[in-house]
Amino acid sequence: MKEENLVIVESPAKAKTIEKFLGKDFLVMSSFGHIRDLDKKDFGIDLKNNYIPRYVVSEDKKKVVAELKKAAKNAKTIWIASDEDREGEAIGWHLMEVLGLSPDTTKRIVFHEITKSAITKAIDNPRLLDLNLVDAQQARRILDRLVGFEISPVLWKKVKPSLSAGRVQSVAVRLIVDQEREIQKFQPTSAYRVTSLFHTEDEKVGSSELKAELSTRFKTFDETKHFLDQCNGASFHIESIVKKPAKKSPTPPFITSTLQQEASRKLGFPVSMTMSVAQKLYEAGKITYMRTDSTNLSQLALDAAKETIVEKYGDKYYHLRTFKTKAKGAQEAHEAIRPTYMNQATVPGTPQEQKLYELIWKRTIASQMADAKLERTTVKIGVSGTDEHFVATGEILVFDGFLSVYLESTDDEGQENPIHKGLLPPLNEGEVLVPSEIVGTQRFTQKPPRFTEASLVRKLEEQGIGRPSTYAPTITTIQNRNYIVKEDRDGTEREYQRLLLQDGHLDSETCTEITGAERGKLFPTDIGLVVNDFLVKNFDSIVDYKFTAKVEKEFDEIAEGKRVWNEMIDEFYVPFHANIEDVIENSERSSGERILGVDPKTEKPVSVRIGRYGPMAQLGESKEDSEEKPQFASLRHGQSIETITLEEALDLFKLPRQLGEYEEKVVTVSVGRFGPYVRHDSKFVSLKKDVDDPLTIELDRAVELIEEKREKDRKALLKTFEEDVDLRVIMGRWGPYIAYQKSNYKIPKDTVVEDLSFEDCMKVVEEGPKPKKAAAKKTATKKAATKKTTTKKTTKTTAAKKTVTKKKTTTKSSSEKK
DNA sequence: CAGTGAGCGAGCTTCCGCTTGACTT
């Protein structure tokens, strides 16, 4: 039977919802995003012929494309309903190309919200594909490919293999590097903050205290002391009391970037976790689409929010609001992120899903609520014999409004807040106050803040760099490439002065505080620093913060039909490529090398630099006329080329150490990729963090660790079989699994592990899905197949060679996924 | 992936944006 209508959307969850609205005559399918991309071979672009792109159907989309083709053949009318933005238009165009549809007749429809009225309205108003917009996307895609695939190989040559550069990631790294340098450069200055606790004359000390701060901050200890001396015996009276109304308004509903920020601040989620939890909520139909840059709410949502607010909180808490989207380059193909059903304040699910949902619900509801009304009272207190005055501020909530539901958090860390929450004690102008204590404290200016994942996203969005769908992946990429790391850092102790005036006595003391402690902040690595400096030096215009904004403007001109896309690309590419050639030819290798000094024992020079496998130290030099080779050692975690000292570098060469023998086998200690370890009988045991030091650990302790590990392995071993000692059932991090020879196998669902027989296990090993060493990335299946058929060949044909190297890459990529 | 780091040097790495699963020891 021939279907009347086929509608193609991008997301399968969306397809499901829309099908319900459209009824029987419509079959709704999804393309799962883009179906084609530029070929990876030779850029996928004909550089000599107007940059004509060569597209191929992505490996993991072949199945979807085949199904769409089949459905398209059977349909009378095909509706392309991809998102209304540049990428969506291109997805639509690729679909038409692949399915053999004509852009002149195929119906293109768009809607910005998934409601019945929006969809029927779209069906009633189809248009044709906008080829200018498609061209703008092609220009975007081709430019990104050219930038990424021309600069990255330069890095392989000049810095280290396998590195990457790109329009978005390189700027993200630059933001972090520039900020880090600002922080290193920063010199704190200090000033003295004076605070006082007052009470009224007739009241007892402590009954109702008034905390006030001096409006002046003194530069020096002596000035502060002088002032406190003046206070000793002075009188204090209220000069004025000023009351001022104030209001607070709610923030707009969530878009991707603000959701990531708030989930990070309020729930402590990394951005990738926020996105995967949101994805689950979306697939379950609990929230609208989570990759959006629009703060818009549908009429349906506005009505539902009103109903919920009025019912739950009453009329006076409701206030209709619409928000303008601020983000640069926003394309607004979707609604804001909001609950599907406003009247559900909570949903079932994992704790994370519940928390994130609640956050979304509160933010959405609050955005449609009344302002909070405050009254701020400022009390000015004069000091006799001086022109100085203390100020006390109190704030009371007259009407809570949206605050009864939700308040956005800030990134500020530990800044002292001088505002009294709540009421001030009853006071009158002219009244005399008595201080119970006056304190002068030395305070230091704060260094610029380091980025968190979420604040980096905000910065990128402000600059119009990246899209909602790429914020989380970009941050993962630059961490995977080891350009930046997310880390905690302990603070350092700092002394400060404190002066205390109490009961007519002035004392001063030196106190200490911890400063500069960081949690979950982004730091550049040595490689990040070297690569960034190389890019800034040689490709300044590309890693410029404004580069994206500049090309976006040109893409817009293409979309408006004012510019031809391949002319724009040509204008960019010709000088860009000349620059590439010049850098390859003329630029020095860049390794960030630092000469640390000379080893006092051997009198050989010691240096550090980026090597093929990362930051390393070198002891001695390679000389042509000498047989002697230099020694190498990797820098340890937390060490940096920029800051490592000669002593620390020399320590690196003290490993591996032999500790002695245990059970007639040698015990050695060293530091590897996963940190310090003990090696014995070709088995590895990690040293305990913060307990053991590889430079000082002794045999007894090493044996202890070895035995501990044996005990743990014994406990994890669930089953062994007499028939074959190679077969074991082991308890792993993700539950039990079967290990046979060198591969691991998943146990089928619903099996009782205790009941597994030898035959059951062997069945899993033989029939179960082949344990893919390779991460399931695009071509993995193809590679696995090649591997299987050729590994047995012993002849050194090119084909066999090829598979060997391929195998290497696949295992590597699987390891990188960790 | 836990001894690597020049030397001879094939073939490999890499981008951004749209979407989900499959998968991890």
Side-chain angles (χ1 to χ4, degrees):
Chain A
M1 198 187 84
K2 212 170 163 83
E3 292 280 350
E4 276 305 296
N5 297 284
L6 171 65
V7 180
I8 305 176
V9 297
E10 293 180 35
S11 150
K14 199 166 163 182
K16 234 168 60 189
T17 320
I18 291 170
E19 197 150 47
K20 273 190 282 187
F21 293 135
L22 285 175
K24 275 197 297 235
D25 296 337
F26 288 82
L27 173 65
V28 186
M29 293 179 78
S30 81
S31 74
F32 292 80
H34 273 294
I35 53 164
R36 296 200 301 183
D37 191 15
L38 293 174
D39 197 342
K40 287 223 185 198
K41 279 201 299 270
D42 307 321
F43 286 60
I45 302 165
D46 191 342
L47 293 172
K48 296 203 180 77
N49 186 15
N50 281 322
Y51 308 94
I52 301 297
R54 194 170 58 253
Y55 293 110
V56 289
V57 174
S58 323
E59 199 58 41
D60 54 342
K61 294 294 166 59
K62 293 219 158 124
K63 211 176 129 199
V64 182
V65 168
E67 282 164 10
L68 287 171
K69 268 187 185 160
K70 206 170 127 197
K73 229 178 246 165
N74 282 324
K76 233 174 175 176
T77 312
I78 294 168
W79 308 74
I80 300 291
S82 45
D83 297 346
E84 182 166 42
D85 56 21
R86 198 165 63 201
E87 296 297 326
E89 206 69 10
I91 288 173
W93 178 75
H94 283 298
L95 281 167
M96 290 189 190
E97 290 271 304
V98 172
L99 302 180
L101 314 173
S102 161
D104 298 329
T105 56
T106 309
K107 294 191 159 112
R108 167 83 168 111
I109 54 169
V110 294
F111 33 84
H112 297 234
E113 50 190 59
I114 318 291
T115 55
K116 183 157 185 171
S117 66
I119 289 156
T120 32
K121 201 168 140 200
I123 293 279
D124 290 340
N125 297 284
R127 62 169 170 88
L128 295 178
L129 205 73
D130 181 347
L131 290 173
N132 285 332
L133 198 52
V134 174
D135 282 349
Q137 192 275 347
Q138 299 203 83
R140 197 281 303 156
R141 179 68 193 90
I142 287 166
L143 180 120
D144 282 336
R145 169 58 67 83
L146 290 171
V147 168
F149 275 36
E150 293 227 339
I151 298 184
S152 298
V154 179
L155 292 176
W156 307 341
K157 245 194 157 100
K158 302 290 184 183
V159 184
K160 186 175 108 75
S162 304
L163 294 173
S164 64
R167 173 176 60 82
V168 173
Q169 59 167 282
S170 296
V171 177
V173 172
R174 183 178 187 177
L175 282 164
I176 292 163
V177 171
D178 283 356
Q179 185 80 342
E180 187 66 26
R181 296 230 161 98
E182 284 298 312
I183 292 167
Q184 301 302 345
K185 230 171 43 191
F186 180 77
Q187 293 288 350
T189 57
S190 73
Y192 286 77
R193 175 179 189 247
V194 181
T195 56
S196 175
L197 277 180
F198 291 107
H199 58 97
T200 49
E201 256 188 326
D202 51 348
E203 274 178 281
K204 284 183 187 137
V205 177
S207 58
S208 61
E209 286 184 321
L210 179 65
K211 193 174 183 184
E213 178 174 349
L214 198 72
S215 58
T216 313
R217 286 197 174 197
F218 298 111
K219 281 216 178 80
T220 64
F221 180 88
D222 290 342
E223 281 175 63
T224 315
K225 185 168 180 295
H226 178 69
F227 173 74
L228 290 186
D229 279 334
Q230 282 181 308
C231 285
N232 201 356
S235 66
F236 303 84
H237 71 282
I238 295 176
E239 284 177 1
S240 67
I241 299 174
V242 179
K243 290 189 179 180
K244 256 193 193 158
K247 65 168 192 176
K248 255 192 193 115
S249 302
T251 40
F254 280 132
I255 58 176
T256 305
S257 60
T258 50
L259 177 68
Q260 289 171 349
Q261 285 155 44
E262 275 291 87
S264 161
R265 290 186 289 226
K266 283 201 154 88
L267 309 177
F269 287 5
V271 298
S272 58
M273 188 200 273
T274 300
M275 293 314 283
S276 63
V277 174
Q279 176 88 28
K280 284 274 175 320
L281 290 169
Y282 167 66
E283 283 168 13
K286 305 292 186 204
I287 60 168
T288 55
Y289 197 58
M290 63 283 155
R291 289 184 277 265
T292 176
D293 52 19
S294 169
T295 53
N296 194 50
L297 294 174
S298 69
Q299 191 57 50
L300 191 86
L302 291 173
D303 294 346
K306 179 177 180 180
E307 201 176 303
T308 300
I309 293 164
V310 170
E311 188 190 311
K312 256 186 141 93
Y313 304 95
D315 265 337
K316 64 175 188 165
Y317 277 86
Y318 172 71
H319 190 281
L320 172 69
R321 294 172 199 271
T322 51
F323 297 90
K324 276 242 156 49
T325 299
K326 274 188 295 188
K328 223 185 260 178
Q331 309 201 5
E332 306 208 58
H334 305 95
E335 272 189 81
I337 304 169
R338 62 158 175 96
T340 316
Y341 306 103
M342 296 288 177
N343 54 2
Q344 291 182 9
T346 56
V347 291
T350 65
Q352 286 156 350
E353 285 166 22
Q354 293 185 24
K355 277 191 237 165
L356 192 69
Y357 179 84
E358 214 173 299
L359 192 66
I360 293 167
W361 184 84
K362 285 179 173 173
R363 173 90 167 208
T364 313
I365 291 294
S367 79
Q368 295 302 314
M369 289 178 76
D371 288 344
K373 293 197 183 86
L374 309 160
E375 190 182 77
R376 198 165 284 160
T377 307
T378 309
V379 180
K380 231 169 142 179
I381 301 153
V383 185
S384 67
T386 75
D387 293 334
E388 305 290 347
H389 52 260
F390 285 90
V391 176
T393 313
E395 197 176 76
I396 56 163
L397 204 54
V398 179
F399 173 61
D400 57 357
F402 78 96
L403 287 179
S404 61
V405 176
Y406 176 88
L407 175 64
E408 186 176 57
S409 305
T410 59
D411 283 330
D412 295 346
E413 301 162 17
Q415 278 288 36
E416 51 260 272
N417 188 352
I419 291 182
H420 265 272
K421 291 290 171 198
L423 276 170
L424 294 178
L427 300 164
N428 297 305
E429 283 190 14
E431 197 170 340
V432 172
L433 295 175
V434 181
S436 47
E437 61 169 45
I438 301 179
V439 186
T441 318
Q442 185 182 19
R443 306 301 299 147
F444 293 87
T445 47
Q446 300 237 346
K447 60 180 168 39
R450 287 201 172 82
F451 284 109
T452 61
E453 288 188 354
S455 67
L456 180 63
V457 168
R458 181 174 56 195
K459 190 75 186 178
L460 288 171
E461 187 190 43
E462 272 170 25
Q463 309 272 349
I465 300 167
R467 303 277 312 130
S469 67
T470 59
Y471 296 137
T474 300
I475 282 174
T476 308
T477 300
I478 57 180
Q479 292 183 65
N480 283 346
R481 292 260 171 278
N482 201 17
Y483 291 151
I484 64 166
V485 282
K486 184 163 80 172
E487 266 177 12
D488 301 342
R489 295 265 166 106
D490 293 333
T492 50
E493 272 194 358
R494 174 169 67 192
E495 290 188 342
Y496 68 96
Q497 303 299 321
R498 187 166 180 271
L499 299 93
L500 173 66
L501 176 65
Q502 199 170 28
D503 303 330
H505 292 290
L506 181 58
D507 289 320
S508 69
E509 55 181 341
T510 303
C511 311
T512 56
E513 62 183 345
I514 302 287
T515 177
E518 298 276 27
R519 276 196 58 217
K521 293 292 168 62
L522 303 179
F523 295 83
T525 63
D526 284 327
I527 295 168
L529 291 167
V530 170
V531 168
N532 178 69
D533 292 352
F534 181 86
L535 293 176
V536 170
K537 188 174 165 213
N538 296 297
F539 300 100
D540 190 30
S541 63
I542 307 293
V543 292
D544 191 297
Y545 294 136
K546 296 203 180 76
F547 178 69
T548 291
K550 186 179 143 249
V551 289
E552 279 291 340
K553 220 166 123 195
E554 299 183 52
F555 297 148
D556 285 346
E557 288 167 11
I558 295 168
E560 288 162 24
K562 292 179 188 155
R563 245 182 127 170
V564 181
W565 75 265
N566 32 18
E567 289 175 12
M568 180 243 150
I569 292 290
D570 192 57
E571 260 172 54
F572 163 77
Y573 184 69
V574 171
F576 171 71
H577 185 71
N579 187 24
I580 292 272
E581 303 262 276
D582 177 55
V583 174
I584 292 174
E585 188 81 7
N586 300 317
S587 139
E588 289 279 304
R589 250 195 93 86
S590 186
S591 69
E593 185 176 33
R594 259 182 76 218
I595 313 284
L596 299 181
V598 176
D599 176 15
K601 263 192 229 147
T602 59
E603 295 185 342
K604 285 179 186 166
V606 180
S607 64
V608 284
R609 65 186 158 94
I610 300 282
R612 261 222 297 167
Y613 303 98
M616 58 179 275
Q618 180 174 340
L619 174 63
E621 281 171 312
S622 51
K623 289 191 190 118
E624 279 181 32
D625 53 349
S626 159
E627 281 290 295
E628 222 175 270
K629 285 177 190 169
Q631 266 183 280
F632 301 105
S634 286
L635 259 56
R636 289 180 55 184
H637 183 78
Q639 290 181 325
S640 155
I641 287 180
E642 297 210 336
T643 57
I644 193 169
T645 62
L646 179 62
E647 288 70 34
E648 286 165 345
L650 287 171
D651 277 347
L652 296 171
F653 295 104
K654 292 181 182 156
L655 296 172
R657 282 168 62 217
Q658 295 209 354
L659 300 182
E661 285 195 356
Y662 177 57
E663 292 172 353
E664 292 169 10
K665 299 232 166 69
V666 185
V667 178
T668 54
V669 60
S670 191
V671 176
R673 277 266 270 162
F674 309 133
Y677 65 90
V678 171
R679 185 182 179 165
H680 173 250
D681 193 13
S682 68
K683 285 196 179 75
F684 297 91
V685 187
S686 290
L687 297 196
K688 291 268 184 319
K689 217 180 162 186
D690 300 326
V691 177
D692 302 309
D693 183 340
L695 289 176
T696 57
I697 191 169
E698 296 192 22
L699 186 62
D700 291 355
R701 173 64 182 154
V703 169
E704 209 176 296
L705 289 169
I706 291 165
E707 286 299 334
E708 222 173 86
K709 174 87 189 298
R710 283 185 185 170
E711 179 62 28
K712 224 170 116 193
D713 286 350
R714 258 198 298 276
K715 271 189 191 148
L717 193 63
L718 300 179
K719 261 178 191 251
T720 49
F721 301 93
E722 284 173 8
E723 292 93 327
D724 192 337
V725 284
D726 272 345
L727 186 72
R728 287 157 307 160
V729 181
I730 301 171
M731 179 55 88
R733 250 212 287 175
W734 288 282
Y737 66 96
I738 295 170
Y740 182 63
Q741 287 167 351
K742 294 225 158 144
S743 298
N744 298 327
Y745 300 82
K746 222 172 157 175
I747 293 174
K749 267 186 197 158
D750 306 322
T751 353
V752 182
V753 178
E754 287 76 38
D755 299 347
L756 275 173
S757 68
F758 177 74
E759 286 75 23
D760 292 337
C761 292
M762 286 315 288
K763 213 170 125 196
V764 172
V765 170
E766 275 156 25
E767 290 176 10
K770 292 280 166 296
K772 279 181 218 148
K773 285 258 154 121
K777 280 240 164 173
K778 283 156 209 167
T779 50
T781 42
K782 200 173 124 197
K783 279 177 182 168
T786 347
K787 186 177 111 188
K788 205 180 154 200
T789 52
T790 48
T791 33
K792 279 180 190 160
K793 285 187 189 171
T794 45
T795 47
K796 280 189 182 168
T797 61
T798 25
K801 252 189 184 170
K802 236 180 182 168
T803 48
V804 170
T805 47
K806 270 186 182 170
K807 208 170 103 189
K808 234 177 166 177
T809 39
T810 48
T811 30
K812 197 175 142 213
S813 71
S814 81
S815 67
E816 271 173 6
K817 273 200 98 179
K818 284 185 227 166

